[in-house]
Amino acid sequence: MSVSQTAPGPPPPPAPPAPELVPIAARTVGAVKVYGRGETAVRALDGISADFVSHQFTAIMGASGSGKSTLLHCLAGLDRLTSGQTFIAGYELGRLTDRQLTLLRREKVGFIFQSLNLVPTLNALDNIVLPLTIAGRKPEPGVVEGVVQMTGLADRLKHRPGELSGGQQQRVAAARALVSRPEIIFADEPTGNLDSKAGGELLAFLRKAVDTLGQTIVIVTHDPFAASHADRVIFLADGRVVQEMRSPTADSILAVVRHLGD
Amino acid sequence: MFKVSLRSLLSHKLRLALTATAIILGVTFVAGTLVLTDTIRNTFEGVLSNVDKGVAVQVKGATPATPSGRLLNQNLPLPESVLARVQKVSGVADAVGVVERSGVSLLQNGQVVGATDHAAMLGLNWVSDSQLSSFELTSGTAPRSADEVVINARAATNGHLAVGQQIQVSFEASAAQPFVISGIATFGGQASIATEGFALFTLPTAESLLEANNTFDVIDVSAQSGVTDLQLRDRVASALSGTGVQVQTGAQAASETEQNAVTDINEFIGTPLLVFAFVAVFVGSFLIANTFSILVAQRTQELALLRALGATRGQVFTEVITEAALTGVLASLVGFLLGILVADGLIHLVGSSAKLSVQPDALITSVLVGTIITVIAAALPARRATRIAPVAALREAQPEFQGLPRVRIACGLLLFLGGTAGLLQSLFTATATSGPNLSVLGLSVLGIFLGTALLAPILVRPVATVLGWPARFRGAPGRLAGENARRNPRRTALTSAALMIGLALVTAVAVITDSVEASINQALDGTVKAQLVVIAEGSGAFSPEVASTLRADPRLTDVSEIRGSDVLVGDIETNVIGLDTSNVSRIFSFSMTQGSAASIATGDTTIVDSTEAATENIHLGSVVTMTFPNGDKVTMTVGGIYTPDALISGYLVSLGTLNPHLTTARDSDVALNPAPGVSVASADASMLNDLRAYPQLSGLTKTQYKNLISAGLNTFLNLIYVLLGLAIIIAVVGIVNTLALSVLERTRELGLLRALGMTRGQTREMVAWESVIIALLGAVLGLAVGAGLGIALVSSLHSDGISQTAVPGNNLILYAVAAALFGIIASIFPAIRASRVDILRAVTSE
Ligand SMILES: Nc1ncnc2c1ncn2[C@@H]1O[C@H](COP(=O)(O)OP(=O)(O)OP(=O)(O)O)[C@@H](O)[C@H]1O
Ligand SMILES: [Mg+2]
């Protein structure tokens, strides 16, 4: 557990930066992450700078081992950079204490993991409102109902995760990520364990969240079809951003993936 | 497979340590007890083997017997003439008469000195024939004149007494007489006889001081060379034939003494400690069963993989059991070593220099107990392991939530109801003389505990919901803790059950002591009308002189002696109490069911309590035969039947009826009242002033007497707390263990919660709440079962005078609070672990 390099003290909230022309939900500048030391050191992130614009759906792609998960974890405040900076909602994560990071995740960040996203003892509804319960907040009226409506899980809310299919579980996880209306949602291969139909449903749901609720979403995926739901695709290779694409289609993505694979 | 077991064992050091702790603690208790009793026994045997070596033959007085041959466990004194007859037997080298009676106190400046807790010392006459005496002077000389005394070395150290010092000696609170310490002695090399002190006098002094009235208690005989002990015994026996006296060889007498000593050691030290050790081991077995269940659950995938790779069910079973057996043996060995240390510590603590006796038997018993319990406890989980289907290797473990198997409910009900029936049967068919059948009682309680433990999972959901309710106000941590406690009801239940046992026993004892106290208080307020009472500290009997002294005090009245004697009524050994009839109505108010208390004023008339009357089928006007220690057989008429209470029960007669059959008159209590017009306070002061000459005695008002009883019962309760403390500690370790393993199992989930914004503090709080819920479930079960046990026991004693049933509410609340605190303490380590899960590892590892 690394500790913030800056002097410890009361929560600093560094002043949010000056308003930009396009609002930025998350940003990383010169991100470097080195695992291990000496000869066995791995440079998982090798100087990545990227902005994630609010109300946008971004997909991160790249070969296995290219640093996608590492980037996501560092952006989301689950891990710390070796050097460089990351910001969420204007807060520089490297300056926050563990507790402040926890509170920031609670307030500003939503997650969807590849699998085992849910607390097995809680039913679907309780899982959905879990971030609010943890924060000791009451959901705003209508928000939960709205999100549940979008997931199409209204009749399964009293079921425990063990009684739901993988696709349903992922949709519950997505609903949970949405319900606290976070600044940004990170999803690491959310469709990785789903068949194409369930995967499609989940992606349609995420797309809808961006379009109708103005949610900001960043997903990591290997699937060009999944990435085609995004507004923008960032391609990584060996810990660096090697290409960017706006308004992608499955075909254009496939072309880049083929090219990078060469 | 053995290799797999060993590797699995060593690869989980923490798990091994936690499981082993339970076994180690239990076995430590067992081994400590065994080594301690072996040591005490060994020391005693060592002393006895040094003692009375030169005694070829020993003569003791006759033992009174009923017409049907039932013996009273007392010997009549030997008239002096017997000694002369023994001395004339051919082959006798020397024969000496010994007077030995307990009840001697050493006094200095009006205080008892030299003895701990005012315990009475043994008084004897000095025997100069060193062949026939085991007392050795360490300084000074033997007593030569009437006012010289030799005291034991321990008394000299305790009381800072030295040769040449002036001291006073009193026998059973008779008037103190001045003596000079002429010497200090040991017995068989020991500073005291077991824990009893001794004082040695010249024969005439011993006879008069100890009120032997020209009799001896024992005659020791040495043989001329060439005469065997057996030959001499037969010669002495034939010389004394017809007198009824007992003649034994020295070896027989010694082995009888040794037998009695060993029986006493087992009865008063060994057995009670072993019972508590067993409770600790029993509680430990719950912990072990639970740990192995959790391990099997956690290793489902691994075991399924083994099965998929072709391991048979038998091999899987053997794998788990071997791991248990290995753990059991290792932990038992550690427990045994710790037990030796504990025994050694205890022996040093009581200031003894005894050499520790570590017998192979103790090692074998300890290791067997520890290992067998571990293997038995692991058997069910191991069986469950064999049922794991190979496909489970591919599935994610899900929380249990499902209902209990019917077989388990049936077994639980059977054990619980069977246990309850057995308990009630053994308690309520018990007779006053034989008491309840202890093995039936013990097994019944065991059944109740096991049944409750089996059924407890049913209670987990409702109880966790109720107990978890306040936790909900603490938001997510409390909420999730409640769910976690309920997610695996068997695990929660088994963990709670371990705590239940300790708390149930504590509660039962608290109910009993409280009921006894309430019953005694009720008896004091109801039956006892006397305002003041005199008792001996250490509850010995005392000389009638005391009553005479008090009678002479004009500020006191109704001075009444209460005098007891062992007696055989028919064939039953019991005791009879003599009361002063002149003012009995102002001292006691008996509630008579038949006849009248005043009837005892008529000679040879007795009144008896209704319980005794019912069991012995005695009615008003019945005739009973009493055999007294002096051999007298007296026919008594039953003149009344009264309701017994906590203080008075059994046969009551008048002093006039009793006195002629006593060798020496000794009072157990003196009851009295303030003279008319004198306040209780000033009468009390006056009584205390009269008692200044008798430092062994206490004069008490009713309130003081109640406080004394209460203090005694509290001391007893505290002792029980200490003895059951280990069982409770083991249960707490069990909670730690369950939580630690659960935390390990839920690493991913905890990481997820942390990722979603649960702070470390909230995570710790969540584990703490779960722990508190487990502990409180144990408390609820324990208090309920314990109160049930206690009430059943007390109810069965109603007819013996424990008429009040008191459930000490304050204590119960205290236990529940203590349990919750234990829960919090138990959660510390698992909670810290839980709050430190590596979020990334938890959410990324597949
Ligand atoms: N905890 C770690 N310790 C050491 N090296 C690590 C660790 N985590 C990741 N790496 C290394 O960092 C590099 C980037 O890993 P990362 O998990 O970010 O890749 P990825 O793009 O998510 O791959 P995938 O598509 O297979 O999930 C890899 O070379 C990996 O081996
Ligand atoms: Mg990855």
Side-chain angles (χ1 to χ4, degrees):
Chain A
M1 197 64 35
S2 68
V3 174
S4 170
Q5 297 300 308
T6 55
E20 315 215 10
L21 292 179
V22 231
I24 302 294
R27 153 178 286 173
T28 175
V29 183
V32 173
K33 177 74 182 180
V34 180
Y35 288 113
R37 268 185 204 178
E39 301 220 336
T40 59
V42 177
R43 241 176 139 75
L45 299 181
D46 191 12
I48 289 185
S49 299
D51 289 349
F52 298 90
V53 177
S54 292
H55 321 306
Q56 254 198 10
F57 190 166
T58 309
I60 301 175
M61 298 196 71
S64 191
S66 57
K68 305 181 296 293
S69 296
T70 308
L71 176 62
L72 203 74
H73 294 150
C74 292
L75 277 171
L78 292 173
D79 203 355
R80 289 178 189 273
L81 289 175
T82 309
S83 71
Q85 292 168 302
T86 49
F87 301 89
I88 285 182
Y91 296 105
E92 192 201 329
L93 303 190
R95 293 169 157 274
L96 302 184
T97 63
D98 181 76
R99 184 178 162 77
Q100 289 166 340
L101 256 187
T102 304
L103 297 180
L104 181 110
R105 281 199 306 271
R106 182 197 276 182
E107 302 293 332
K108 307 285 183 196
V109 181
F111 290 100
I112 309 168
F113 301 106
Q114 184 172 347
S115 63
L116 302 172
N117 256 306
L118 307 178
V119 176
T121 48
L122 300 179
N123 65 29
L125 181 62
D126 288 337
N127 262 295
I128 291 174
V129 298
L130 186 58
L132 300 175
T133 319
I134 290 175
R137 280 198 281 153
K138 287 248 172 288
E140 280 162 39
V143 169
V144 177
E145 290 77 358
V147 169
V148 167
Q149 188 93 55
M150 279 172 69
T151 57
L153 287 167
D155 55 337
R156 319 234 70 185
L157 291 180
K158 292 289 165 199
H159 293 242
R160 292 184 198 272
E163 300 154 355
L164 298 174
S165 73
Q168 288 167 336
Q169 289 186 27
Q170 287 303 79
R171 272 185 282 151
V172 171
R176 181 191 63 204
L178 274 178
V179 84
S180 57
R181 306 308 314 271
E183 192 80 15
I184 187 163
I185 292 176
F186 293 104
D188 193 351
E189 302 189 43
T191 59
N193 284 353
L194 304 180
D195 65 15
S196 55
K197 181 165 173 288
E201 280 170 10
L202 182 71
L203 289 161
F205 173 75
L206 294 179
R207 183 71 247 174
K208 206 162 145 197
V210 175
D211 293 341
T212 64
L213 302 174
Q215 184 61 56
T216 313
I217 295 179
V218 177
I219 71 166
V220 165
T221 182
H222 285 286
D223 178 6
F225 170 72
S228 70
H229 289 77
D231 300 309
R232 180 170 73 129
V233 184
I234 294 175
F235 294 91
L236 298 190
D238 299 329
R240 276 182 221 150
V241 178
V242 289
Q243 191 152 351
E244 257 196 72
M245 183 186 289
R246 287 183 192 273
S247 309
T249 63
D251 289 339
S252 62
I253 294 168
L254 203 56
V256 174
V257 170
R258 289 233 175 85
H259 169 73
L260 287 176
D262 287 343
Chain B
M1 274 295 159
F2 183 78
K3 253 192 186 157
V4 178
S5 306
L6 195 64
R7 195 139 340 115
S8 153
L9 202 63
L10 295 178
S11 65
H12 300 95
K13 294 198 193 69
L14 176 72
R15 179 218 280 177
L16 175 67
L18 285 169
T19 316
T21 312
I23 312 168
I24 291 173
L25 288 177
V27 171
T28 300
F29 204 153
V30 173
T33 304
L34 292 174
V35 172
L36 193 67
T37 34
D38 279 349
T39 302
I40 296 173
R41 200 178 301 139
N42 211 34
T43 313
F44 219 86
E45 284 167 359
V47 171
L48 291 179
S49 67
N50 284 335
V51 162
D52 292 344
K53 277 210 185 109
V55 177
V57 170
Q58 195 174 63
V59 183
K60 275 188 206 153
T63 303
T66 64
S68 64
R70 166 90 202 198
L71 301 175
L72 190 60
N73 190 17
Q74 268 182 25
N75 296 89
L76 296 179
L78 292 160
E80 270 179 348
S81 59
V82 176
L83 179 60
R85 283 167 73 178
V86 172
Q87 278 165 337
K88 285 200 208 98
V89 173
S90 81
V92 168
D94 191 10
V96 295
V98 180
V99 179
E100 54 175 26
R101 286 171 191 199
S102 186
V104 171
S105 309
L106 305 181
L107 308 176
Q108 210 174 31
N109 309 324
Q111 298 289 324
V112 177
V113 289
T116 24
D117 293 336
H118 300 262
M121 301 162 76
L122 195 63
L124 308 104
N125 54 307
W126 176 264
V127 172
S128 46
D129 184 341
S130 64
Q131 269 237 297
L132 293 177
S133 170
S134 306
F135 295 98
E136 278 170 39
L137 286 168
T138 54
S139 65
T141 61
R144 283 156 306 190
S145 62
D147 67 344
E148 285 186 334
V149 61
V150 166
I151 62 170
N152 66 310
R154 173 74 35 82
T157 359
N158 280 354
H160 309 290
L161 301 171
V163 174
Q165 224 166 316
Q166 302 275 343
I167 199 163
Q168 289 186 304
V169 177
S170 147
F171 177 62
E172 294 186 333
S174 61
Q177 297 172 29
F179 277 85
V180 177
I181 298 173
S182 71
I184 291 165
T186 54
F187 174 77
Q190 302 289 313
S192 48
I193 305 174
T195 56
E196 201 177 16
F198 53 83
L200 299 155
F201 309 95
T202 62
L203 181 58
T205 308
E207 282 190 339
S208 66
L209 182 78
L210 307 178
E211 301 184 26
N213 305 323
N214 304 321
T215 61
F216 297 119
D217 296 303
V218 174
I219 292 171
D220 287 331
V221 184
S222 59
Q224 286 170 355
S225 58
V227 184
T228 67
D229 293 0
L230 280 173
Q231 286 170 335
L232 193 62
R233 181 196 66 185
D234 293 342
R235 287 187 206 168
V236 172
S238 70
L240 299 176
S241 68
T243 57
V245 300
Q246 295 180 15
V247 184
Q248 292 176 307
T249 62
Q252 283 170 332
S255 95
E256 203 178 276
T257 316
E258 190 178 312
Q259 278 301 323
N260 290 342
V262 168
T263 312
D264 280 358
I265 292 168
N266 288 343
E267 184 173 340
F268 294 110
I269 305 170
T271 312
L273 282 180
L274 276 178
V275 166
F276 286 101
F278 176 77
V279 171
V281 170
F282 182 57
V283 169
S285 72
F286 278 69
L287 203 171
I288 296 159
N290 210 14
T291 310
F292 276 92
S293 297
I294 300 175
L295 295 185
V296 166
Q298 286 180 356
R299 291 174 59 201
T300 298
Q301 303 215 341
E302 180 192 334
L303 293 170
L305 194 66
L306 281 177
R307 292 271 285 126
L309 294 178
T312 64
R313 290 188 172 213
Q315 280 174 314
V316 168
F317 185 82
T318 313
E319 207 270 313
V320 177
I321 285 291
T322 309
E323 186 174 335
L326 282 173
T327 314
V329 171
L330 280 179
S332 301
L333 287 173
V334 175
F336 181 72
L337 294 178
L338 284 177
I340 295 177
L341 290 182
V342 168
D344 192 42
L346 281 175
I347 287 166
H348 281 289
L349 199 71
V350 298
S352 162
S353 54
K355 216 171 112 265
L356 216 56
S357 157
V358 181
Q359 304 290 330
D361 276 6
L363 173 66
I364 293 168
T365 311
S366 303
V367 172
L368 276 183
V369 166
T371 310
I372 290 175
I373 287 279
T374 313
V375 169
I376 290 178
L380 268 183
R383 214 171 74 94
R384 207 169 304 142
T386 64
R387 301 230 200 88
I388 294 172
V391 294
L394 313 169
R395 276 201 217 117
E396 185 64 35
Q398 287 297 327
E400 221 177 88
F401 286 122
Q402 85 262 11
L404 279 186
R406 287 229 186 93
V407 183
R408 186 179 172 127
I409 296 181
C411 285
L413 277 176
L414 205 71
L415 279 169
F416 184 81
L417 296 177
T420 310
L423 176 79
L424 297 179
Q425 196 269 345
S426 70
L427 285 180
F428 288 95
T429 59
T431 59
T433 38
S434 67
N437 183 333
L438 287 179
S439 32
V440 174
L441 191 77
L443 283 176
S444 303
V445 173
L446 210 68
I448 292 177
F449 283 148
L450 283 174
T452 312
L454 284 177
L455 294 174
I458 301 176
L459 298 174
V460 167
R461 286 186 133 270
V463 172
T465 309
V466 173
L467 295 178
W469 189 71
R472 290 191 163 229
F473 291 109
R474 297 291 302 158
R479 179 77 217 281
L480 288 165
E483 299 293 341
N484 283 339
R486 286 159 28 162
R487 76 195 287 172
N488 206 325
R490 282 190 227 172
R491 186 184 295 183
T492 303
L494 208 54
T495 312
S496 308
L499 188 59
M500 161 191 81
I501 296 167
L503 286 177
L505 293 174
V506 166
T507 305
V509 174
V511 168
I512 294 166
T513 50
D514 221 45
S515 301
V516 167
E517 186 175 346
S519 304
I520 290 177
N521 285 348
Q522 197 225 19
L524 281 171
D525 293 333
T527 313
V528 178
K529 293 175 78 183
Q531 307 274 357
L532 301 166
V533 66
V534 177
I535 58 167
E537 295 198 33
S539 60
F542 51 88
S543 153
E545 254 178 57
V546 178
S548 315
T549 311
L550 293 168
R551 267 191 202 103
D553 188 334
R555 303 170 70 80
L556 305 172
T557 185
D558 300 337
V559 175
S560 304
E561 299 163 83
I562 298 164
R563 195 166 287 175
S565 169
D566 291 337
V567 71
L568 284 161
V569 176
D571 267 358
I572 309 289
E573 187 164 351
T574 174
N575 57 347
V576 57
I577 297 169
L579 298 177
D580 196 338
T581 38
S582 55
N583 38 34
V584 68
S585 63
R586 285 188 299 280
I587 298 296
F588 294 109
S589 99
F590 294 106
S591 82
M592 304 298 297
T593 57
Q594 285 179 66
S596 78
S599 65
I600 60 171
T602 326
D604 290 355
T605 301
T606 181
I607 61 173
V608 62
D609 74 68
S610 49
T611 307
E612 180 82 11
T615 39
E616 296 303 317
N617 199 18
I618 293 168
H619 308 284
L620 190 63
S622 294
V623 168
V624 294
T625 307
M626 293 192 187
T627 309
F628 286 92
N630 73 349
D632 290 353
K633 294 185 176 54
V634 184
T635 309
M636 304 253 184
T637 312
V638 174
I641 291 172
Y642 67 95
T643 313
D645 63 28
L647 289 175
I648 296 169
S649 61
Y651 293 90
L652 307 180
V653 298
S654 71
L655 285 178
T657 303
L658 183 63
N659 282 342
H661 314 297
L662 301 177
T663 35
T664 44
R666 284 289 172 266
D667 295 333
S668 62
D669 313 72
V670 170
L672 55 151
N673 279 315
V678 178
S679 73
V680 175
S682 58
D684 182 37
S686 191
M687 168 180 74
L688 293 182
N689 196 39
D690 297 336
L691 291 177
R692 287 246 297 268
Y694 309 98
Q696 312 91 314
L697 304 183
S698 311
L700 303 167
T701 62
K702 247 187 203 184
T703 320
Q704 287 169 334
Y705 192 68
K706 284 180 188 172
N707 292 343
L708 189 77
I709 301 270
S710 172
L713 288 170
N714 271 331
T715 310
F716 174 70
L717 196 56
N718 287 337
L719 181 71
I720 297 289
Y721 288 157
V722 170
L723 289 172
L724 285 175
L726 192 63
I728 291 176
I729 291 175
I730 291 177
V732 172
V733 171
I735 300 179
V736 177
N737 204 354
T738 299
L739 288 174
L741 291 171
S742 297
V743 163
L744 213 66
E745 193 177 76
R746 300 176 195 154
T747 304
R748 276 200 71 113
E749 193 180 321
L750 289 164
L752 175 68
L753 289 168
R754 292 274 290 122
L756 292 179
M758 185 175 261
T759 61
R760 293 200 167 161
Q762 283 179 309
T763 314
R764 284 193 293 266
E765 199 184 325
M766 178 176 75
V767 178
W769 275 116
E770 182 177 353
S771 185
V772 168
I773 291 175
I774 294 176
L776 283 180
L777 177 65
V780 167
L781 292 173
L783 297 188
V785 172
L789 283 179
I791 290 171
L793 259 151
V794 169
S795 311
S796 78
L797 295 173
H798 272 342
S799 53
D800 297 322
I802 307 301
S803 52
Q804 304 293 301
T805 305
V807 178
N810 288 346
N811 286 32
L812 300 202
I813 293 171
L814 195 77
Y815 300 157
V817 172
L821 274 178
F822 287 142
I824 291 175
I825 292 169
S827 76
I828 293 174
F829 163 72
I832 290 177
R833 262 183 94 100
S835 73
R836 296 217 176 129
V837 293
D838 183 340
I839 304 178
L840 263 190
R841 281 254 303 275
V843 299
T844 53
S845 66
E846 293 299 320

